[in-house]
Amino acid sequence: MEGDPISKLCTPAMVVDVDIVKRNAQRMVDRYQDLGVKLRPHMKTHKTLECGDIMTGGSRRCVVVSTLAEASFYADHGFDDILYAYPLPFDKLERCAALSERLSLFQVLLDHPQALELLSKRPLRAGRPWHVWLKLDCGNGRAGVLHSEPEALQLAQAIAKTEGVELTGVYAHCGNSYHCKGVEKIQAVAQETTTLTLQFMEKLRAAGINCKSSIGSTPSCSHPIKDMGQLSEVHPGNYVFYDVQQSLIGSCSMEDVAVRVLTRVIGHCPHRNQLLVDCGWAALSQDGAGRLPSGYAVIEGHPDLKLLSMTQEHGRVEPITGELDYSKYPLGSLLKLVPYHSCATAMMHSVYHVHSGGRLVGKWFPTRGW
């Protein structure tokens, strides 16, 4: 109940510190106001209305989503100017059309001529155009047409020339920043992605095409470089929660991580020198694969402990060195796990317990599915 300490919750439970969330969100707003660049926050990490309101300052405008379930959820609750930043899925064309005809501005993303052909064969009602972003690969190596290939410019020109379709922007994700460690390396990736995107924008202008430009990733957007001020938009998402991974990259400090998973000790196993806890991978995810010295998560306040392994509903905790003092961890005692990857952990929960100063203030219910 509201006002109760988080220790009253049944475990496992995901808790979100709303004060840290608001601080993280405001810092990102301030960064891009100073640069004169529009911030288009990504909803994929939290997938909730409340956090969407915090990230947009209550405007419910100018957001990015990664699934059509998110797009519909936000549209149903008054959000608009939504960018579906995933290569146009061939089986979901009609759902995209319905959102495009319903909202003031719904935007799709593509990186292949066949997707453009699909759009051209499905005109929108009332003469509305499809608003399209070209996905550009500037070194991330995931989706997108490679910036250096002639096909990239050819596809942009084809989009601009296709009846019923408008080239709204060029979208590049610098996910390769997740391989960095330290601000200098993060900014080197941000510089490369920004430079290549701006060079591509010059090619477009030379071809008589004007549109927006956007790059993003939480590491790069947490430490912006000067040249990012020449972009139209940025689109980070994880920053609102952050996580252990982001702290290791250098995007944030551990004090900026807003999420914990609460778990209780449910067993003493002296023959294994272990504790058994009620958090398995179904409440934490296995993202991170135990790469941390502390295993699958950081156990807050207990640098000597390691979450060694998990099954679906159980976790095994042991000391990093030495013997466990079981008197410090009586059955029923509470541990706080700081997740390696908050996006993955959040996906495991149907409700987030929101607190301020350790006291419950409400619940957030994320949307799910694709």
Side-chain angles (χ1 to χ4, degrees), residues 3 34 52 75 92 96 148 183 224 236 275 314 331 369:
D34 290 345
K92 301 178 179 70
C96 289
S148 57
V183 174
L275 302 170
H314 299 81
L331 296 180

PDB file of all heavy atoms in Angstrom, residues 3 34 52 75 92 96 148 183 224 236 275 314 331 369:
ATOM      1  N   GLY A   3       2.690   4.493   0.918  1.00  0.00           N
ATOM      2  CA  GLY A   3       3.206   4.932   2.210  1.00  0.00           C
ATOM      3  C   GLY A   3       3.987   3.880   2.943  1.00  0.00           C
ATOM      4  O   GLY A   3       4.777   4.185   3.835  1.00  0.00           O
ATOM      5  N   ASP A  34      20.349  22.692 -24.234  1.00  0.00           N
ATOM      6  CA  ASP A  34      21.596  23.456 -24.372  1.00  0.00           C
ATOM      7  C   ASP A  34      22.182  23.328 -25.775  1.00  0.00           C
ATOM      8  O   ASP A  34      22.763  24.281 -26.305  1.00  0.00           O
ATOM      9  CB  ASP A  34      22.633  22.977 -23.344  1.00  0.00           C
ATOM     10  CG  ASP A  34      22.263  23.356 -21.914  1.00  0.00           C
ATOM     11  OD1 ASP A  34      21.378  24.214 -21.735  1.00  0.00           O
ATOM     12  OD2 ASP A  34      22.856  22.771 -20.979  1.00  0.00           O
ATOM     13  N   GLY A  52       6.492   7.751 -19.537  1.00  0.00           N
ATOM     14  CA  GLY A  52       6.393   8.519 -20.772  1.00  0.00           C
ATOM     15  C   GLY A  52       6.065   9.973 -20.505  1.00  0.00           C
ATOM     16  O   GLY A  52       6.600  10.887 -21.141  1.00  0.00           O
ATOM     17  N   ALA A  75      -0.804   5.497 -28.332  1.00  0.00           N
ATOM     18  CA  ALA A  75      -1.836   6.177 -29.122  1.00  0.00           C
ATOM     19  C   ALA A  75      -3.182   6.137 -28.408  1.00  0.00           C
ATOM     20  O   ALA A  75      -3.935   7.124 -28.420  1.00  0.00           O
ATOM     21  CB  ALA A  75      -1.947   5.532 -30.502  1.00  0.00           C
ATOM     22  N   LYS A  92       2.870  -6.506 -40.639  1.00  0.00           N
ATOM     23  CA  LYS A  92       2.190  -5.520 -39.788  1.00  0.00           C
ATOM     24  C   LYS A  92       1.844  -4.243 -40.550  1.00  0.00           C
ATOM     25  O   LYS A  92       1.594  -3.198 -39.942  1.00  0.00           O
ATOM     26  CB  LYS A  92       3.059  -5.208 -38.570  1.00  0.00           C
ATOM     27  CG  LYS A  92       3.364  -6.451 -37.712  1.00  0.00           C
ATOM     28  CD  LYS A  92       4.264  -6.119 -36.534  1.00  0.00           C
ATOM     29  CE  LYS A  92       4.546  -7.358 -35.688  1.00  0.00           C
ATOM     30  NZ  LYS A  92       5.412  -8.331 -36.382  1.00  0.00           N
ATOM     31  N   CYS A  96       0.223  -0.565 -39.173  1.00  0.00           N
ATOM     32  CA  CYS A  96       0.918   0.717 -39.364  1.00  0.00           C
ATOM     33  C   CYS A  96       0.023   1.714 -40.104  1.00  0.00           C
ATOM     34  O   CYS A  96      -0.005   2.901 -39.773  1.00  0.00           O
ATOM     35  CB  CYS A  96       2.209   0.501 -40.148  1.00  0.00           C
ATOM     36  SG  CYS A  96       3.506  -0.354 -39.234  1.00  0.00           S
ATOM     37  N   SER A 148      27.813   3.984 -46.521  1.00  0.00           N
ATOM     38  CA  SER A 148      28.797   4.151 -47.597  1.00  0.00           C
ATOM     39  C   SER A 148      28.377   3.521 -48.914  1.00  0.00           C
ATOM     40  O   SER A 148      29.017   3.748 -49.942  1.00  0.00           O
ATOM     41  CB  SER A 148      30.134   3.536 -47.157  1.00  0.00           C
ATOM     42  OG  SER A 148      29.959   2.161 -46.812  1.00  0.00           O
ATOM     43  N   VAL A 183      34.258   7.701 -21.069  1.00  0.00           N
ATOM     44  CA  VAL A 183      33.654   8.802 -21.817  1.00  0.00           C
ATOM     45  C   VAL A 183      34.373   9.041 -23.138  1.00  0.00           C
ATOM     46  O   VAL A 183      33.741   9.289 -24.175  1.00  0.00           O
ATOM     47  CB  VAL A 183      33.644  10.085 -20.961  1.00  0.00           C
ATOM     48  CG1 VAL A 183      33.161  11.277 -21.783  1.00  0.00           C
ATOM     49  CG2 VAL A 183      32.765   9.898 -19.729  1.00  0.00           C
ATOM     50  N   PRO A 224      27.133  13.971 -24.841  1.00  0.00           N
ATOM     51  CA  PRO A 224      27.071  14.483 -26.210  1.00  0.00           C
ATOM     52  C   PRO A 224      28.334  15.249 -26.605  1.00  0.00           C
ATOM     53  O   PRO A 224      29.010  15.844 -25.770  1.00  0.00           O
ATOM     54  CB  PRO A 224      25.859  15.427 -26.178  1.00  0.00           C
ATOM     55  CG  PRO A 224      25.716  15.817 -24.745  1.00  0.00           C
ATOM     56  CD  PRO A 224      26.139  14.618 -23.965  1.00  0.00           C
ATOM     57  N   PRO A 236      17.569   8.623 -27.258  1.00  0.00           N
ATOM     58  CA  PRO A 236      17.963   7.655 -26.231  1.00  0.00           C
ATOM     59  C   PRO A 236      16.758   7.126 -25.457  1.00  0.00           C
ATOM     60  O   PRO A 236      15.679   7.736 -25.489  1.00  0.00           O
ATOM     61  CB  PRO A 236      18.872   8.485 -25.319  1.00  0.00           C
ATOM     62  CG  PRO A 236      18.254   9.851 -25.381  1.00  0.00           C
ATOM     63  CD  PRO A 236      17.787  10.011 -26.807  1.00  0.00           C
ATOM     64  N   LEU A 275      23.472 -19.217  -0.205  1.00  0.00           N
ATOM     65  CA  LEU A 275      22.103 -18.840   0.143  1.00  0.00           C
ATOM     66  C   LEU A 275      21.220 -19.145  -1.062  1.00  0.00           C
ATOM     67  O   LEU A 275      21.657 -19.027  -2.216  1.00  0.00           O
ATOM     68  CB  LEU A 275      21.999 -17.340   0.427  1.00  0.00           C
ATOM     69  CG  LEU A 275      22.869 -16.740   1.525  1.00  0.00           C
ATOM     70  CD1 LEU A 275      22.778 -15.208   1.466  1.00  0.00           C
ATOM     71  CD2 LEU A 275      22.431 -17.249   2.890  1.00  0.00           C
ATOM     72  N   HIS A 314      14.542 -19.535  -8.793  1.00  0.00           N
ATOM     73  CA  HIS A 314      15.497 -19.581  -7.695  1.00  0.00           C
ATOM     74  C   HIS A 314      16.813 -18.938  -8.115  1.00  0.00           C
ATOM     75  O   HIS A 314      17.210 -19.009  -9.277  1.00  0.00           O
ATOM     76  CB  HIS A 314      15.803 -21.024  -7.275  1.00  0.00           C
ATOM     77  CG  HIS A 314      14.622 -21.794  -6.794  1.00  0.00           C
ATOM     78  ND1 HIS A 314      13.729 -22.386  -7.665  1.00  0.00           N
ATOM     79  CD2 HIS A 314      14.200 -22.079  -5.531  1.00  0.00           C
ATOM     80  CE1 HIS A 314      12.781 -22.999  -6.953  1.00  0.00           C
ATOM     81  NE2 HIS A 314      13.047 -22.833  -5.667  1.00  0.00           N
ATOM     82  N   LEU A 331      16.677 -16.332   7.313  1.00  0.00           N
ATOM     83  CA  LEU A 331      15.608 -16.638   6.369  1.00  0.00           C
ATOM     84  C   LEU A 331      14.575 -15.518   6.382  1.00  0.00           C
ATOM     85  O   LEU A 331      14.176 -15.026   7.432  1.00  0.00           O
ATOM     86  CB  LEU A 331      14.962 -17.968   6.724  1.00  0.00           C
ATOM     87  CG  LEU A 331      15.866 -19.197   6.612  1.00  0.00           C
ATOM     88  CD1 LEU A 331      15.095 -20.467   6.994  1.00  0.00           C
ATOM     89  CD2 LEU A 331      16.430 -19.339   5.219  1.00  0.00           C
ATOM     90  N   GLY A 369       4.070  -7.329 -25.280  1.00  0.00           N
ATOM     91  CA  GLY A 369       3.787  -7.907 -26.585  1.00  0.00           C
ATOM     92  C   GLY A 369       4.410  -7.146 -27.726  1.00  0.00           C
ATOM     93  O   GLY A 369       5.159  -6.193 -27.533  1.00  0.00           O
TER      94      GLY A 369
END
